[in-house]
Amino acid sequence: MPYLEISSQNFFHNHRIILNAITPKAPEKLAIVLKDNAYGHGLKEIAQLAHRVKIQNAFVKNVSEALAIAEFFKSITILYPHSKDSNFKEALLAPNLYFCAPSLESLVQLPPNTKIELKVNSGMNRNGIDKNALSEAFTLITKNNLQLKGIFTHNGFGDDLDSAFYTQNIEFLEIKKDSLALCNHHNLPRPRFHSLSSSGAFRTDCASIPSDLQDDLYRIGIAFYGYLCCDFQSPPLKPIASLYAEKISTLSLKSGASIGYSGVSTLEKDSIVSTYDIGYGDGLFRIREGMELYSAEGFRILPRASMDCISIATDAQKVCIFNNANTFARAFHTIPYEILVHLHSYIPRIVV
């Protein structure tokens, strides 16, 4: 069956690059984003690697992900919690699980003593309360006896070399000042602040920001997995995942033979063609007529892909479909995130 091979050495290499570039004197500021099955790489597998390099804080999508890796981190923030989750009450009792509160309504719905991180909109205009609602939010937090652990935003312009990135940073700086004043007013302890994901963190410059207003965490996601999708020179990260498939059968075919549905691939010479056990049913993007893709070894992948298998011009027992998701991302005019998170969770992730 197909499997993802996860390189621990590449993960450790990426960790060193990220740490030295962003926060070499304060490694505790590095947090890892493990949402959506660790961007398709395997939730528990990557959590264990992060634990080995002593990363203390993580971010996940939902309650189930948080509970599955609760033993590995000092804190885990659930970005999209839902009270209808069957294990929601169990998560509320966990001492190291925090719940994202992205709206005033969520502050009313969460039960007393819930540990929360308040999300504030700083200009991306996606999730989070308006900064003008901060005072109301603090009143609700105090009234409902919620434990405020953090205040965060998402700078959605870290990949782009324009002024919007800096505008959002300035906006969040003002949010921090207002939040600290409100903490004093309501006699609440100082929460942690964070705003930057991978690309933005590589661009951060704390020299001009007073120490008490600097971010306390950097939420690193895609960079740990070996990628950045940015307009600036990327650091020398290494993709950590290689996708393999195993042979189902082999045919020796004559020149002119057609392959698969509608025979859209026609052989120009006598060839050996094998099928391999991965297809779009497994989350691999559907390779269509007119596309020219090759395995990591250089074997032509012949359109069209089927639901459960693909045809490749080789008789190798196994092939590496890709060891860098950018290959498929470019072919499908998308980003490596989308290629990776589509791979079904039932595909084994093997750490080497």
Side-chain angles (χ1 to χ4, degrees):
M1 70 184 300
Y3 64 94
L4 267 177
E5 185 176 277
I6 306 297
S7 170
S8 60
Q9 293 308 305
N10 284 4
F11 180 89
F12 299 144
H13 165 87
N14 294 341
H15 175 260
R16 288 191 296 271
I17 293 291
I18 295 164
L19 179 63
N20 291 334
I22 297 171
T23 179
K25 295 181 180 180
E28 70 278 2
K29 286 190 172 186
L30 276 191
I32 188 167
V33 183
L34 296 168
K35 65 187 181 76
D36 296 284
N37 198 29
Y39 291 48
H41 292 76
L43 177 65
K44 286 189 176 181
E45 290 82 358
I46 305 303
Q48 289 171 332
L49 290 175
H51 182 68
R52 287 174 62 181
V53 294
K54 301 181 179 179
I55 293 173
Q56 300 178 36
N57 303 286
F59 293 82
V60 298
K61 181 174 184 175
N62 53 39
V63 165
S64 295
E65 287 190 336
L67 289 171
I69 58 170
E71 64 183 292
F72 297 114
F73 299 98
K74 178 181 176 182
S75 80
I76 301 174
T77 299
I78 305 166
L79 296 171
Y80 298 96
H82 201 292
S83 60
K84 292 184 179 179
D85 289 338
S86 60
N87 43 14
F88 185 79
K89 291 184 178 179
E90 179 186 355
L92 287 172
L93 298 174
N96 61 334
L97 301 191
Y98 302 167
F99 293 73
C100 171
S103 65
L104 295 177
E105 291 81 6
S106 65
L107 295 174
V108 176
Q109 295 164 359
L110 289 167
N113 293 315
T114 301
K115 296 171 285 295
I116 67 163
E117 291 213 74
L118 184 68
K119 187 163 190 183
V120 182
N121 178 31
S122 61
M124 190 177 179
N125 300 322
R126 191 180 61 172
N127 297 321
I129 68 165
D130 189 274
K131 69 173 184 176
N132 295 319
L134 267 177
S135 180
E136 185 178 355
F138 270 78
T139 299
L140 289 171
I141 289 167
T142 305
K143 178 183 177 181
N144 296 332
N145 196 27
L146 300 172
Q147 298 183 44
L148 180 62
K149 296 294 186 178
I151 296 175
F152 73 108
T153 192
H154 185 51
N155 191 320
F157 300 92
D159 295 330
D160 313 306
L161 291 178
D162 59 29
S163 62
F165 173 72
Y166 302 101
T167 300
Q168 272 206 269
N169 283 342
I170 293 170
E171 189 78 358
F172 191 52
L173 191 63
E174 294 304 311
I175 289 168
K176 290 177 185 177
K177 294 176 182 177
D178 292 344
S179 297
L180 290 173
L182 286 164
C183 284
N184 288 333
H185 177 75
H186 289 275
N187 197 28
L188 295 174
R190 185 189 191 278
R192 67 187 190 183
F193 295 99
H194 46 99
S195 61
L196 300 176
S197 54
S198 293
S199 296
F202 276 105
R203 296 173 62 186
T204 189
D205 178 13
C206 296
S208 60
I209 302 174
S211 58
D212 62 330
L213 292 176
Q214 292 179 11
D215 276 7
D216 300 291
L217 289 180
Y218 299 104
R219 301 188 308 267
I220 308 301
I222 198 68
F224 270 122
Y225 308 108
Y227 304 92
L228 279 184
C229 302
C230 56
D231 290 342
F232 55 90
Q233 181 65 41
S234 176
L237 302 169
K238 296 181 180 181
I240 69 171
S242 298
L243 178 63
Y244 286 90
E246 297 184 339
K247 185 170 70 172
I248 300 171
S249 65
T250 299
L251 291 172
S252 295
L253 299 173
K254 297 294 185 181
S255 176
S258 60
I259 309 294
Y261 287 110
S262 301
V264 298
S265 289
T266 301
L267 297 178
E268 296 179 355
K269 61 180 180 180
D270 294 355
S271 303
I272 292 174
V273 176
S274 301
T275 55
Y276 292 83
D277 58 357
I278 191 168
Y280 61 82
D282 303 296
L284 186 70
F285 276 34
R286 182 172 176 265
I287 303 164
R288 307 179 302 275
E289 52 268 40
M291 302 185 76
E292 190 161 325
L293 276 164
Y294 295 84
S295 71
E297 301 90 349
F299 304 131
R300 176 80 190 277
I301 303 174
L302 300 166
R304 299 173 185 163
S306 299
M307 187 179 296
D308 301 306
C309 61
I310 53 176
S311 297
I312 303 179
T314 181
D315 62 352
Q317 187 59 41
K318 68 176 181 179
V319 294
C320 181
I321 305 302
F322 62 74
N323 54 18
N324 186 330
N326 277 318
T327 304
F328 267 61
R330 285 191 291 268
F332 287 92
H333 307 290
T334 186
I335 54 177
Y337 299 71
E338 189 176 10
I339 301 299
L340 293 162
V341 299
H342 271 76
L343 297 173
H344 282 203
S345 59
Y346 61 68
I347 296 175
R349 274 70 173 171
I350 301 171
V351 179
V352 297

